[in-house]
């Protein structure tokens, strides 16, 4: 018994070393990006790349902001917010029907949503491009919003359905006896109890839409419709050897994602665990 107790309490040295090594692998590039963004281009090749800048400057951030960064940022915000809002409305409505309905059509609809998880976005880029062109939406923000919302639906419906199934049926029945309509039950019962799921899918899908590169690359052309991931790619050619400016753009583009994760990290982890664990 004592041997078992000792084996359970003995520290895992190998695991600790590997964990610290992985932490260093993750943090060192982040540290390099942030520190370099505060260097001047003149001393970038002369100073130690991992040392703190001798004369920190925000000149690189000024050059980025002067090159339409705020326009690209606004486009990313519009695309992300509208796509996530549209996706949540459709997913909540579909999930409610799937959970509350006992018909075969509802079960088949859920199966179709699950089938969407197996279809990679890259495999559909040609049909999506053709559809967007035929709809007259090419080189507009709607060309990014609609496909992003559509491809986010399968995982979103999966998570929300699993949350809605945990709501006791007695609550629905009691509200039905009181004369509540489906819209009233959805608004007053389902949405409040499904808040962790909504926060989870909202943050998760917002991260994917914000970081999306394929749709902006294929479905837009003009610089006025450019979003941040595509702008970072263009900055590499625009600033050429101005590495601090490129990394400053990276830092600015990551800040909204970091803030969203800090605000909803608990709901994100809990929601994804519940969504994939059933």
């Amino acid at each position: 018994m004592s041997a078992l107790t000792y084996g359970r309490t003995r520290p895992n040295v190998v695991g600790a070393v590997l964990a610290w090594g992985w932490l260093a692998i993750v943090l060192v590039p982040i540290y390099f990006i942030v520190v370099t963004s505060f260097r001047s281009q003149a001393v970038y090749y002369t100073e130690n790349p991992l040392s703190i800048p001798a004369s920190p400057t925000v000149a690189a951030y000024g050059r980025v902001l002067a090159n339409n960064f705020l326009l690209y940022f606004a486009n990313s915000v519009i695309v992300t917010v509208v796509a996530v809002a549209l996706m949540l409305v459709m997913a909540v409505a579909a999930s409610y029907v799937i959970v509350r309905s006992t018909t075969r059509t509802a079960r088949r609809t859920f199966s179709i949503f699950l089938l969407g998880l197996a279809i990679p976005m890259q495999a559909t880029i040609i049909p999506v491009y053709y559809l967007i062109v035929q709809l007259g939406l090419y080189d507009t923000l709607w060309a990014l919003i609609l496909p992003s919302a559509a491809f986010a639906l399968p995982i979103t419906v999966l998570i929300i359905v699993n949350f809605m199934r945990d709501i006791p049926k007695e609550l629905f029945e009691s509200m039905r006896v009181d004369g509540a309509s489906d819209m009233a039950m959805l608004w007053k019962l389902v949405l409040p109890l499904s808040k962790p799921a909504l926060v989870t899918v909202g943050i998760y899908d917002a991260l994917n839409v914000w970081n999306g590169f394929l749709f902006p690359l294929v479905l837009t052309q003009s610089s006025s419709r450019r979003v941040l991931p595509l702008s970072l790619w263009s900055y590499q050619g625009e600033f050429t050897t101005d590495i601090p400016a490129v990394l400053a753009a990276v830092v600015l583009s990551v800040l909204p994602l970091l803030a969203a994760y800090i605000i909803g990290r608990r709901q994100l982890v809990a929601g994804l665990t519940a969504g994939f664990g059933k």
Side-chain angles (χ1 to χ4, degrees):
M1 190 69 175
S2 60
L4 290 176
T5 303
Y6 175 76
R8 292 175 182 174
T9 58
R10 185 172 55 186
N12 188 350
V13 178
V14 176
V17 172
L18 293 176
W20 280 105
W22 178 252
L23 182 62
I25 292 174
V26 172
L27 291 182
V28 169
I30 297 176
Y31 170 79
F32 169 77
I33 292 173
V34 174
V35 168
T36 304
S37 67
F38 288 99
R39 297 186 193 278
S40 63
Q41 178 63 14
V43 300
Y44 171 72
Y45 293 102
T46 58
E47 290 187 346
N48 185 337
L50 295 180
S51 65
I52 297 177
S55 301
T57 177
V58 295
Y61 290 90
R63 291 193 295 274
V64 171
L65 293 175
N67 282 270
N68 293 327
F69 182 86
L70 294 180
L71 173 63
Y72 306 148
F73 181 85
N75 288 339
S76 289
V77 171
I78 294 173
V79 170
T80 301
V81 171
V82 177
V84 171
L86 184 62
M87 173 270 303
L88 285 177
V89 171
M90 294 187 296
V92 168
S95 300
Y96 180 81
V97 174
I98 292 171
V99 171
R100 294 293 298 156
S101 178
T102 58
T103 63
R104 183 178 300 177
T105 302
R107 293 194 296 269
R108 289 180 177 176
T109 302
F110 187 49
S111 300
I112 294 174
F113 277 114
L114 295 181
L115 181 62
L117 295 172
I119 302 176
M121 180 176 60
Q122 293 80 0
T124 63
I125 190 61
I126 294 178
V128 169
Y129 172 82
Y130 179 79
L131 181 61
I132 291 297
V133 171
Q134 292 300 312
L135 292 174
L137 298 177
Y138 181 76
D139 200 25
T140 65
L141 295 184
W142 283 108
L144 308 180
I145 293 171
L146 296 180
S148 298
F151 278 93
L153 273 177
I155 184 63
T156 304
V157 170
L158 173 63
I159 295 176
I160 296 179
V161 163
N162 284 323
F163 264 81
M164 287 189 182
R165 284 175 175 169
D166 287 340
I167 301 176
K169 295 182 179 180
E170 292 78 8
L171 297 178
F172 289 102
E173 294 173 357
S174 63
M175 291 191 67
R176 181 69 73 186
V177 171
D178 292 337
S181 62
D182 286 323
M183 184 60 67
M185 289 190 290
L186 181 62
W187 184 259
K188 297 181 180 180
L189 176 62
V190 174
L191 291 182
L193 295 180
S194 300
K195 183 179 178 180
L198 299 180
V199 174
T200 297
V201 296
I203 296 177
Y204 178 79
D205 291 328
L207 294 176
N208 289 332
V209 175
W210 186 273
N211 290 324
F213 181 80
L214 182 60
F215 286 152
L217 178 64
V218 177
L219 302 179
T220 61
Q221 183 177 10
S222 60
S223 59
S224 61
R225 300 294 184 267
R226 191 173 294 168
V227 293
L228 283 181
L230 194 59
S231 70
L232 295 179
W233 174 65
S234 66
Y235 281 152
Q236 294 182 8
E238 184 175 350
F239 291 117
T240 314
T241 59
D242 193 351
I243 306 301
V246 175
L247 297 185
V250 173
V251 173
L252 290 174
S253 64
V254 168
L255 289 179
L257 302 181
L258 183 61
Y261 177 77
I262 292 175
I263 294 173
R265 64 186 184 279
R266 292 184 180 179
Q267 290 86 347
L268 179 64
V269 174
L272 288 177
T273 302
F276 287 110
K278 298 182 180 181

